[in-house]
Amino acid sequence: MLNIILFGAPGCGKGTQAARLAEHYDLYHISTGEVIRSEIKRGTELGKSMEGYISRGELAPDSIVVEMVRDFMRTHNDKGAIFDGFPRTTAQAEIFDTMLAEIGAKVDVMVFMDVPEEELVRRILLRGKDSGRQDDSSEDVIRNRIEVYRQQTEVVADHYTKQGKYEAINGLGTMDEVFARLTEAIDSKR
Ligand code: ADP
């Protein structure tokens, strides 16, 4: 099993690289943001309860997100996965570690993709033009997501640094350059 957390601010390129990494290492891929968006699109009760958080650029409640990941793990527990956008709080990380331990698994590595704030905002606004994501089109919401990241998510790096699992890479450059840095960082921890 190989479990990889792809970590970084909104717009750092996690989603794009996660898909490539999943293919490269033959792993599953879960984006909690994608799961939430799909619930909203399908108009489920769960989706409805999360619409407000997303549109304001706030985090969804830990309890809900953790249950989504628990559900995913029930059916994807054989080879490992790329976790994209999860865990985003220390509470999520602690529950996640326990959840993996219960099936005899663990996080192998967290890789942080480092991208400066102005570039994050530029990329998200660009993406918002064709993704149609409501949280990608307003600069205020984008700035708030980055602020929430700084206040609640950044500390999750400390959690995995203490476990000796943290790696950081430069997230600027071409998609191929960033991918090469990611695989190098991941392979150093396998
Ligand atoms: P981005 O990384 O560009 O913000 P995501 O698709 O990862 O995009 O997430 C979109 C939104 O979904 C977040 O702003 C947040 O509201 C919600 N979300 C995603 N993952 C989590 C999580 N692990 N905990 C809480 N909220 C989450």
Side-chain angles (χ1 to χ4, degrees), residues 8-12 14-15 31-37 50 53-62 65-66 69 84-89 92 124 127 133 135-136 141 145 148 153:
C12 74
K14 294 188 294 286
S31 154
T32 43
E34 283 295 334
V35 176
I36 295 171
R37 278 190 291 281
M50 275 177 307
Y53 300 106
I54 300 268
S55 62
R56 291 189 296 269
E58 296 166 7
L59 293 183
D62 287 338
V65 178
V66 160
V69 175
D84 159 9
F86 178 89
R88 251 174 159 101
T89 63
Q92 289 179 18
I124 298 175
R127 173 173 82 186
R133 266 177 64 172
D135 59 340
D136 278 355
V141 173
R145 278 156 62 199
V148 166
T153 304

Coordinates of all heavy atoms in Angstrom, one line a residue, residues 8-12 14-15 31-37 50 53-62 65-66 69 84-89 92 124 127 133 135-136 141 145 148 153, ligand 1:
G8 N -1.2 21.6 -0.1 CA -0.9 22.9 -0.6 C -2.1 23.8 -0.7 O -3.3 23.3 -0.5
A9 N -1.9 25.1 -0.9 CA -3.0 26.0 -0.9 C -3.9 25.8 -2.1 O -3.5 25.1 -3.0 CB -2.4 27.4 -0.9
P10 N -5.2 26.3 -2.0 CA -6.0 26.3 -3.2 C -5.3 26.8 -4.4 O -4.6 27.9 -4.3 CB -7.2 27.2 -2.8 CG -7.2 27.3 -1.3 CD -5.8 27.1 -0.9
G11 N -5.4 26.2 -5.5 CA -4.8 26.7 -6.8 C -3.4 26.2 -7.0 O -2.8 26.6 -8.0
C12 N -2.8 25.4 -6.0 CA -1.4 25.1 -6.2 C -1.2 24.0 -7.2 O 0.0 23.7 -7.6 CB -0.8 24.6 -4.8 SG -1.4 23.0 -4.3
K14 N -2.8 20.8 -7.1 CA -3.0 19.4 -6.5 C -3.8 18.5 -7.4 O -3.4 17.4 -7.7 CB -3.7 19.5 -5.2 CG -3.0 20.2 -4.1 CD -3.7 20.0 -2.7 CE -5.0 20.7 -2.6 NZ -5.0 22.1 -2.5
G15 N -5.0 19.0 -7.9 CA -5.9 18.2 -8.7 C -5.2 17.6 -9.9 O -5.3 16.4 -10.2
S31 N -10.5 13.3 -4.2 CA -10.5 14.7 -3.9 C -11.7 15.0 -3.1 O -12.9 14.8 -3.6 CB -10.5 15.5 -5.3 OG -11.1 16.8 -5.1
T32 N -11.6 15.4 -1.9 CA -12.8 15.7 -1.1 C -13.6 16.9 -1.7 O -14.8 16.8 -1.6 CB -12.4 16.0 0.4 OG1 -11.3 16.8 0.5 CG2 -12.1 14.7 1.1
G33 N -12.9 17.8 -2.3 CA -13.6 18.9 -2.9 C -14.5 18.4 -4.0 O -15.7 18.8 -4.2
E34 N -14.0 17.4 -4.8 CA -14.8 16.9 -5.9 C -16.0 16.1 -5.4 O -17.1 16.2 -5.9 CB -13.9 15.9 -6.8 CG -12.9 16.5 -7.7 CD -13.6 17.3 -8.8 OE1 -14.8 17.0 -9.2 OE2 -13.0 18.3 -9.3
V35 N -15.8 15.4 -4.3 CA -16.9 14.6 -3.7 C -18.0 15.6 -3.3 O -19.2 15.4 -3.5 CB -16.4 13.7 -2.5 CG1 -17.6 13.0 -1.8 CG2 -15.3 12.7 -2.9
I36 N -17.5 16.7 -2.6 CA -18.5 17.7 -2.2 C -19.3 18.3 -3.4 O -20.5 18.4 -3.4 CB -17.8 18.8 -1.3 CG1 -17.3 18.2 0.0 CG2 -18.8 19.9 -1.0 CD1 -16.4 19.1 0.8
R37 N -18.5 18.7 -4.4 CA -19.1 19.3 -5.6 C -20.1 18.3 -6.2 O -21.2 18.7 -6.7 CB -18.1 19.7 -6.6 CG -17.5 21.1 -6.2 CD -16.6 21.7 -7.4 NE -15.4 20.9 -7.5 CZ -14.3 21.0 -6.8 NH1 -14.3 21.9 -5.8 NH2 -13.3 20.3 -7.0
M50 N -23.8 21.5 2.5 CA -22.5 22.0 2.3 C -22.4 23.2 1.4 O -21.3 23.9 1.3 CB -21.6 20.9 1.8 CG -21.1 20.1 3.1 SD -20.1 18.8 2.7 CE -21.1 17.9 1.5
Y53 N -21.0 26.6 2.9 CA -19.6 26.7 3.2 C -18.7 26.9 2.0 O -17.8 27.7 2.0 CB -19.1 25.4 3.9 CG -19.8 25.0 5.2 CD1 -20.8 24.0 5.2 CD2 -19.5 25.7 6.3 CE1 -21.4 23.7 6.4 CE2 -20.1 25.4 7.5 CZ -21.1 24.4 7.5 OH -21.7 24.1 8.7
I54 N -19.0 26.1 0.9 CA -18.3 26.2 -0.3 C -18.3 27.6 -0.9 O -17.3 28.2 -1.3 CB -18.8 25.2 -1.3 CG1 -18.6 23.8 -0.7 CG2 -18.0 25.3 -2.6 CD1 -17.4 23.1 -1.1
S55 N -19.6 28.1 -1.0 CA -19.7 29.4 -1.7 C -19.0 30.5 -0.9 O -18.6 31.5 -1.5 CB -21.2 29.7 -1.9 OG -21.9 29.8 -0.7
R56 N -18.9 30.4 0.4 CA -18.2 31.4 1.2 C -16.7 31.2 1.3 O -15.9 32.0 1.8 CB -18.7 31.4 2.6 CG -20.2 32.0 2.8 CD -20.6 32.2 4.2 NE -20.6 30.9 5.0 CZ -21.6 30.1 5.1 NH1 -22.8 30.5 4.6 NH2 -21.6 29.0 5.9
G57 N -16.3 30.0 0.8 CA -14.8 29.7 0.8 C -14.4 29.2 2.2 O -13.2 29.3 2.5
E58 N -15.3 28.7 2.9 CA -15.0 28.1 4.3 C -14.8 26.6 4.1 O -15.2 26.0 3.1 CB -16.1 28.4 5.3 CG -16.3 29.9 5.5 CD -17.6 30.2 6.2 OE1 -18.3 29.3 6.7 OE2 -17.9 31.4 6.4
L59 N -14.3 26.0 5.2 CA -14.2 24.6 5.2 C -15.5 23.9 5.5 O -16.3 24.5 6.3 CB -13.1 24.1 6.2 CG -11.7 24.5 5.9 CD1 -10.8 23.8 7.0 CD2 -11.2 24.0 4.5
A60 N -15.8 22.8 5.0 CA -16.9 22.0 5.4 C -16.6 21.4 6.8 O -15.4 21.3 7.1 CB -17.2 20.9 4.4
P61 N -17.6 21.0 7.6 CA -17.4 20.5 8.9 C -16.5 19.2 8.8 O -16.8 18.4 8.0 CB -18.8 20.2 9.4 CG -19.7 21.0 8.6 CD -19.1 21.2 7.3
D62 N -15.6 19.1 9.8 CA -14.7 17.9 9.8 C -15.5 16.6 9.8 O -15.2 15.7 9.1 CB -13.9 17.9 11.2 CG -12.8 19.0 11.1 OD1 -12.4 19.4 10.0 OD2 -12.4 19.4 12.2
V65 N -16.7 15.6 6.3 CA -15.7 15.3 5.4 C -15.0 13.9 5.8 O -14.7 13.1 4.9 CB -14.6 16.4 5.4 CG1 -13.5 16.0 4.5 CG2 -15.2 17.7 4.9
V66 N -14.8 13.7 7.1 CA -14.3 12.5 7.6 C -15.1 11.3 7.2 O -14.6 10.2 6.8 CB -14.1 12.6 9.1 CG1 -13.9 11.2 9.7 CG2 -12.8 13.4 9.4
V69 N -14.6 10.3 3.6 CA -13.3 9.6 3.4 C -13.5 8.1 3.9 O -13.0 7.2 3.3 CB -12.1 10.3 4.0 CG1 -10.8 9.5 3.9 CG2 -11.9 11.7 3.4
D84 N -6.2 14.2 -2.0 CA -6.1 15.5 -2.6 C -7.1 16.4 -1.9 O -8.3 16.3 -2.1 CB -6.3 15.3 -4.1 CG -6.7 16.5 -4.9 OD1 -6.7 17.6 -4.3 OD2 -7.1 16.3 -6.1
G85 N -6.6 17.3 -1.1 CA -7.5 18.2 -0.3 C -7.9 17.7 1.0 O -8.9 18.2 1.6
F86 N -7.3 16.6 1.4 CA -7.6 16.0 2.7 C -6.4 15.3 3.3 O -5.6 14.7 2.5 CB -8.7 14.9 2.5 CG -9.1 14.2 3.8 CD1 -10.1 14.7 4.6 CD2 -8.4 13.0 4.2 CE1 -10.4 14.0 5.8 CE2 -8.7 12.4 5.4 CZ -9.7 12.9 6.2
P87 N -6.1 15.4 4.6 CA -6.8 16.2 5.6 C -6.5 17.7 5.6 O -5.4 18.1 5.2 CB -6.3 15.6 6.9 CG -5.0 15.0 6.6 CD -5.0 14.6 5.2
R88 N -7.5 18.5 5.9 CA -7.3 20.0 5.9 C -7.3 20.6 7.2 O -7.2 21.8 7.3 CB -8.5 20.5 5.1 CG -8.1 21.1 3.7 CD -9.4 21.5 3.0 NE -9.3 22.4 1.9 CZ -9.3 22.0 0.6 NH1 -9.4 20.8 0.3 NH2 -9.3 22.9 -0.3
T89 N -7.5 19.8 8.3 CA -7.4 20.4 9.6 C -6.6 19.3 10.5 O -6.6 18.1 10.1 CB -8.8 20.6 10.3 OG1 -9.4 19.3 10.4 CG2 -9.6 21.5 9.5
Q92 N -8.9 16.5 11.4 CA -9.1 15.5 10.3 C -7.9 14.6 10.2 O -8.0 13.4 10.0 CB -9.3 16.2 8.9 CG -10.6 16.9 8.8 CD -10.7 17.7 7.4 OE1 -10.0 17.4 6.5 NE2 -11.7 18.6 7.4
I124 N -6.4 30.4 -10.1 CA -7.8 30.1 -9.8 C -8.7 30.9 -10.6 O -9.7 30.4 -11.1 CB -8.1 30.3 -8.3 CG1 -7.2 29.3 -7.4 CG2 -9.5 30.0 -8.0 CD1 -7.3 29.5 -5.9
R127 N -8.8 29.4 -14.0 CA -9.6 28.2 -14.0 C -11.1 28.5 -13.9 O -11.9 27.8 -14.6 CB -9.1 27.4 -12.8 CG -9.9 26.1 -12.5 CD -9.2 25.3 -11.4 NE -9.6 25.8 -10.1 CZ -9.1 25.3 -8.9 NH1 -8.2 24.4 -8.9 NH2 -9.5 25.8 -7.8
R133 N -16.8 26.8 -11.6 CA -16.9 26.6 -10.2 C -17.2 28.0 -9.5 O -16.5 28.9 -9.7 CB -15.6 26.1 -9.6 CG -15.5 24.6 -9.5 CD -14.2 24.2 -9.0 NE -13.8 24.6 -7.7 CZ -12.8 24.2 -7.0 NH1 -11.9 23.3 -7.6 NH2 -12.5 24.6 -5.8
D135 N -16.9 29.0 -6.5 CA -15.9 29.5 -5.6 C -14.6 29.9 -6.3 O -13.7 30.3 -5.7 CB -15.6 28.4 -4.5 CG -15.1 27.1 -5.0 OD1 -15.3 26.8 -6.2 OD2 -14.5 26.3 -4.3
D136 N -14.6 29.8 -7.6 CA -13.4 30.2 -8.4 C -13.6 31.5 -9.1 O -12.6 32.0 -9.7 CB -13.1 29.1 -9.5 CG -12.3 27.9 -8.9 OD1 -11.9 28.0 -7.7 OD2 -12.1 27.0 -9.7
V141 N -13.8 35.5 -2.5 CA -13.9 34.1 -2.0 C -12.6 33.4 -2.1 O -12.2 32.7 -1.2 CB -15.0 33.4 -2.8 CG1 -15.1 31.9 -2.5 CG2 -16.4 34.0 -2.6
R145 N -10.5 31.7 0.9 CA -10.0 30.3 0.9 C -8.5 30.2 1.3 O -8.1 29.3 2.0 CB -10.3 29.6 -0.5 CG -11.7 29.2 -0.6 CD -12.1 29.1 -2.0 NE -11.4 28.1 -2.8 CZ -11.3 28.1 -4.1 NH1 -12.0 29.0 -4.8 NH2 -10.6 27.2 -4.7
V148 N -8.2 31.0 5.0 CA -8.7 29.8 5.7 C -7.6 28.7 5.7 O -7.2 28.1 6.7 CB -10.0 29.2 5.2 CG1 -10.3 27.8 5.7 CG2 -11.2 30.1 5.5
T153 N -5.3 25.1 7.8 CA -4.8 23.9 7.1 C -3.3 23.8 7.2 O -2.7 22.8 7.4 CB -5.2 23.9 5.7 OG1 -6.7 24.0 5.6 CG2 -4.8 22.7 4.9
Ligands
ADP1 P1 -9.2 24.0 -3.7 O1 -8.0 23.3 -3.2 O2 -8.9 24.8 -5.0 O3 -9.8 24.9 -2.7 P2 -11.0 21.7 -3.5 O4 -11.7 21.1 -4.6 O5 -9.9 20.9 -2.9 O6 -10.4 23.1 -4.2 O7 -12.0 22.2 -2.4 C1 -13.1 23.1 -2.6 C2 -13.8 23.4 -1.3 O8 -14.3 22.2 -0.8 C3 -13.0 24.0 -0.2 O9 -12.8 25.4 -0.3 C4 -13.8 23.6 1.0 O10 -14.9 24.4 1.2 C5 -14.3 22.2 0.7 N1 -13.4 21.1 1.2 C6 -12.7 20.3 0.4 N2 -12.0 19.4 1.1 C7 -12.2 19.7 2.4 C8 -11.8 19.2 3.7 N3 -10.9 18.2 3.7 N4 -12.3 19.7 4.8 C9 -13.2 20.7 4.7 N5 -13.6 21.3 3.6 C10 -13.2 20.8 2.4

